[in-house]
Amino acid sequence: MGEIKVSPDYNWFRSTVPLKKIIVDDDDSKIWSLYDAGPRSIRCPLIFLPPVSGTADVFFQQILALTGWGYRVIALQYPVYWDHLEFCDGFRKLLDHLQLDKVHLFGASLGGFLAQKFAEYTHKSPRVHSLILCNAFSDTSIFNQTWTANSFWLMPAFMLKKIVLGNFSSGPVDPMMADAIDFMVDRLESLGQSELASRLTLNCQNSYVEPHKIRDIPVTIMDVFDQSALSMEAKEEMYKLYPNARRAHLKTGGNFPYLCRSAEVNLYVQIHLLQFHGTKYAAIDPSVVSAEELDVQKGQLDLSQEEP
């Protein structure tokens, strides 16, 4: 149990990539935690936004692999925000603080919803150049909790954790997925009552994405074919909202493919970002990797997806 937490990769990550704490709001209790790795010369990096149960380090395998290939990657952990507008305003201030005019966003579950809301919020003066939406949704009503969203702040931490754990896979899974679930349970335990309550509030309060405001943004929809917290109806709705989106399907991976299927996820991320190589919105140092090398990797992924 807890294999990821004691793995050499995770320990290497924790010992080499510093966790930064940044305050951008007038309320100094609102602290953004983030890992910022890779070449600082890149002005349009890839930013990872975690799910309800996640901390910034759940994307450590993406940080290690992508920065090794020359990308600049930032993984975030949110402060306590109680509505989407407040979150979007805080995130905008964070990008201003980091002097980043435009970014690529990878959002997992709640992170994917918030990424879409931020793109929508900034559509008149765009800050989001592209989106990768992993097991993401576009309408909070799918969770049937909009009526309780305003009472999460009253609930004790153990009740909030029970609500989150109810969406974790309970059936038999392979060892890598089991390790991913163990790691996410451990990350969940590290979150305080207000952090969890605010995230569940953002996850469930009545809201939906207005796609006409972000239709010009390149999107990759990443999801899994096996069991996850996302219903087939929610997935179909995402496909309808983004008919021109690229699709990155993983045969398996559950709720946390970035942990248990990191090689496939990392490759799909590279394929998404390849379209921006050679532009000022490239997330990679162009001297590090060639398009030909990535095409070879893409061919290998296509072959693996075709296997029975």
Side-chain angles (χ1 to χ4, degrees):
M1 302 291 275
E3 291 298 315
I4 292 176
K5 192 176 177 183
V6 297
S7 69
D9 283 352
Y10 182 68
N11 286 317
W12 170 253
F13 164 75
R14 289 301 301 265
S15 64
T16 56
V17 184
L19 179 64
K20 299 178 179 179
K21 306 272 189 177
I22 297 175
I23 297 171
V24 295
D25 291 284
D26 294 334
D27 180 353
D28 61 8
S29 70
K30 295 188 182 300
I31 302 170
W32 290 83
S33 302
L34 60 92
Y35 297 98
D36 185 352
R40 293 300 187 275
S41 58
I42 301 301
R43 305 309 306 156
C44 189
L46 175 62
I47 297 182
F48 285 86
L49 305 175
V52 168
S53 56
T55 48
D57 57 352
V58 303
F59 300 112
F60 78 95
Q61 295 187 85
Q62 283 66 53
I63 295 173
L64 288 178
L66 293 168
T67 56
W69 292 320
Y71 292 88
R72 183 180 179 187
V73 177
I74 298 172
L76 297 178
Q77 189 168 325
Y78 328 117
V80 173
Y81 290 122
W82 296 101
D83 66 61
H84 303 115
L85 188 61
E86 187 186 24
F87 166 85
C88 289
D89 189 52
F91 189 29
R92 179 186 56 77
K93 290 175 183 173
L94 178 70
L95 295 186
D96 289 346
H97 175 86
L98 296 172
Q99 299 182 313
L100 299 172
D101 292 332
K102 273 197 146 185
V103 293
H104 306 281
L105 296 181
F106 178 113
S109 192
L110 170 63
F113 183 72
L114 294 176
Q116 294 170 85
K117 293 302 286 183
F118 183 70
E120 177 190 299
Y121 171 79
T122 58
H123 78 280
K124 290 184 178 176
S125 180
R127 304 296 294 268
V128 179
H129 198 63
S130 76
L131 291 166
I132 305 173
L133 304 172
C134 177
N135 285 343
F137 53 91
S138 59
D139 189 335
T140 59
S141 66
I142 63 168
F143 298 109
N144 300 315
Q145 296 243 16
T146 52
W147 60 278
T148 57
N150 292 329
S151 61
F152 286 131
W153 68 278
L154 291 166
M155 296 183 186
F158 79 89
M159 285 183 65
L160 298 171
K161 288 173 183 174
K162 189 174 179 181
I163 292 170
V164 176
L165 289 170
N167 289 315
F168 283 26
S169 299
S170 54
V173 294
D174 66 50
M176 292 178 72
M177 289 174 66
D179 286 344
I181 292 169
D182 285 346
F183 185 73
M184 293 302 291
V185 169
D186 183 74
R187 299 296 83 202
L188 177 63
E189 289 295 329
S190 74
L191 298 174
Q193 189 275 344
S194 59
E195 288 176 292
L196 266 178
S198 67
R199 292 184 187 193
L200 280 168
T201 301
L202 294 176
N203 201 76
C204 297
Q205 69 181 193
N206 194 25
S207 184
Y208 57 89
V209 174
E210 299 177 62
H212 62 279
K213 292 184 177 178
I214 52 178
R215 64 161 61 101
D216 296 329
I217 297 176
V219 175
T220 290
I221 296 174
M222 184 181 296
D223 52 23
V224 298
F225 286 142
D226 61 348
Q227 182 189 6
S228 74
L230 212 58
S231 67
M232 185 52 69
E233 291 78 12
K235 292 181 184 181
E236 293 294 341
E237 186 60 29
M238 290 291 288
Y239 302 151
K240 284 182 197 170
L241 282 189
Y242 302 105
N244 299 318
R246 297 181 176 194
R247 297 191 189 179
H249 295 305
L250 289 84
K251 287 181 181 176
T252 58
N255 289 318
F256 317 117
Y258 39 89
L259 278 168
C260 60
R261 302 290 184 266
S262 62
E264 288 180 66
V265 169
N266 295 345
L267 196 45
Y268 276 132
V269 169
Q270 285 183 278
I271 292 166
H272 172 88
L273 294 174
L274 178 61
Q275 61 191 303
F276 311 111
H277 283 200
T279 75
K280 66 178 181 178
Y281 301 115
I284 190 173
D285 181 340
S287 66
V288 175
V289 68
S290 68
E292 291 79 9
E293 183 181 348
L294 197 54
D295 281 340
V296 171
Q297 294 180 7
K298 183 177 183 295
Q300 292 172 342
L301 181 63
D302 290 340
L303 287 173
S304 73
Q305 294 295 302
E306 290 167 8
E307 290 173 4

